[in-house]
């Protein structure tokens, strides 16, 4: 019989451009989360490198290379603490050397890479505060959705800007997801208004647990991120939230509660296929 609960931790960081220093800080929080009983630890987007795009290319790693600094650290933490570690977004080499993927990688307690996800939706925006961001100029987009299993739960992967595209989360639910992971580096400008409502909406409409690990604070290039890492239950209630500093939050995801929500409001079984009108 599948386990009824799994304890997860969402790590909140203030990552900078130095990979070694970022990994050292993350290692401390992963160890603390493991001591607190976490079975799965989620790191935010850009956890290992949050610096100039030109420098990001130099730090891109071949997926599956455990000798590389970032993946070596992830695999080592997973083995040392006997837990699942999700690196929420790091530069992975692509066929275009100038545009690596933004990839989330999942390492099992054995240190084995068991799943990966390349960010589908890239953040190309002109914000009201005058800042302009073009993620696609230095990042290649992925093309596939990804799930993996831990202790009777199926987890679905996404990254940051994906949060604004509910069809991705519907696809994850159709593949059996019980929990949705959202590593992110939401800007302060958008986060203060959109972070909480978007996360709660994705949890409610998917009737899934949702775990979001965020960047918080100041980063190179005058970038500022909102933080407020969250765990949201399938009813849309926030059950854990990080304060304005690096750290981590813990929550026990309950499979029985998820099933009770889906029975009480069975909207996933009521869903209709909407056809486009015939324009001929």
């Amino acid at each position: 019989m599948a386990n009824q609960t799994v304890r997860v931790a969402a790590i909140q960081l203030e990552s900078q451009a130095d990979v070694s220093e970022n990994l050292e800080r993350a290692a401390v929080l992963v160890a603390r989360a493991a001591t607190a009983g976490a079975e799965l630890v989620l790191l935010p987007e850009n956890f290992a490198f949050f610096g100039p795009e030109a420098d990001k290319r130099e730090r891109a790693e071949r997926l599956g290379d455990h000798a590389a600094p970032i993946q070596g650290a992830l695999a080592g933490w997973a083995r040392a603490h006997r837990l699942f570690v999700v690196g929420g977004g790091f530069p992975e080499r692509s066929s275009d050397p100038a545009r690596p993927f933004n990839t989330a990688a999942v390492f099992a307690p054995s240190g084995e890479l068991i799943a990966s996800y390349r960010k589908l939706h890239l953040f190309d925006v002109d914000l009201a505060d005058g800042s302009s961001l073009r993620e696609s100029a230095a990042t290649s987009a992925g093309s596939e959705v990804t799930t993996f299993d831990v202790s009777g739960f199926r987890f679905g992967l996404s990254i940051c800007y994906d949060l604004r595209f509910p069809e991705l989360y519907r696809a994850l639910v159709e593949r059996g997801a019980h929990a949705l992971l959202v590593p992110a580096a939401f800007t302060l400008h958008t986060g203060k208004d959109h972070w909480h409502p978007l996360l709660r909406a994705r949890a409610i409409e998917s009737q899934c647990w949702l775990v979001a690990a965020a960047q918080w604070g100041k980063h190179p290039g005058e970038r500022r991120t909102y933080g407020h890492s969250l765990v949201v239950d399938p009813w849309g209630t926030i059950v854990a939230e990080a304060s304005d500093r690096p750290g981590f939050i813990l929550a026990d995801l309950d499979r029985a509660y998820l099933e009770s929500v889906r029975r009480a409001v069975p909207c996933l079984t009521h869903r209709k296929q909407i056809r486009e009108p015939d324009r001929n």
Side-chain angles (χ1 to χ4, degrees), residues 120 143-149 153-157 167-180 208 262 268 271:
L120 281 170
S143 59
E144 298 180 357
V145 300
T146 302
T147 62
F148 65 96
D149 296 338
F153 281 74
R154 179 155 294 173
F155 289 83
L157 286 167
E167 60 271 20
L168 169 59
Y169 298 91
R170 181 64 62 184
L172 292 168
V173 171
E174 290 176 347
R175 286 161 174 78
H178 306 108
L180 307 170
C208 282
R262 291 184 175 184
L268 295 179
R271 180 171 175 254

Side-chain angles (χ1 to χ4, degrees), residues 125-270:
V125 298
D126 297 305
L127 298 174
D129 65 0
S131 59
S132 179
L133 298 169
R134 291 289 180 271
E135 188 175 15
S136 66
T139 305
S140 293
S143 59
E144 298 180 357
V145 300
T146 302
T147 62
F148 65 96
D149 296 338
V150 175
S151 299
F153 281 74
R154 179 155 294 173
F155 289 83
L157 286 167
S158 62
I159 299 175
C160 201
Y161 190 50
D162 285 332
L163 186 58
R164 295 182 181 274
F165 300 89
E167 60 271 20
L168 169 59
Y169 298 91
R170 181 64 62 184
L172 292 168
V173 171
E174 290 176 347
R175 286 161 174 78
H178 306 108
L180 307 170
L181 301 181
V182 188
F186 244 63
T187 68
L188 178 63
H189 178 74
T190 58
K192 63 184 176 60
D193 294 323
H194 296 168
W195 177 247
H196 289 80
L198 283 171
L199 289 168
R200 294 186 66 204
R202 297 295 85 84
I204 292 167
E205 71 198 10
S206 302
Q207 297 186 314
C208 282
W209 289 92
L210 188 148
V211 183
Q215 290 281 353
W216 168 86
K218 298 179 180 179
H219 315 277
E222 299 184 353
R223 293 188 67 177
R224 298 192 67 182
T225 50
Y226 180 65
H228 291 269
S229 298
L230 295 178
V231 178
V232 185
D233 74 16
W235 191 254
T237 301
I238 295 170
V239 299
E241 180 170 359
S243 60
D244 289 332
R245 58 175 180 167
F248 69 92
I249 54 174
L250 282 171
D252 293 323
L253 311 190
D254 188 323
R255 178 72 178 272
Y257 179 64
L258 177 145
E259 299 297 346
S260 72
V261 169
R262 291 184 175 184
R263 285 194 303 270
V265 187
C267 58
L268 295 179
T269 62
H270 292 163

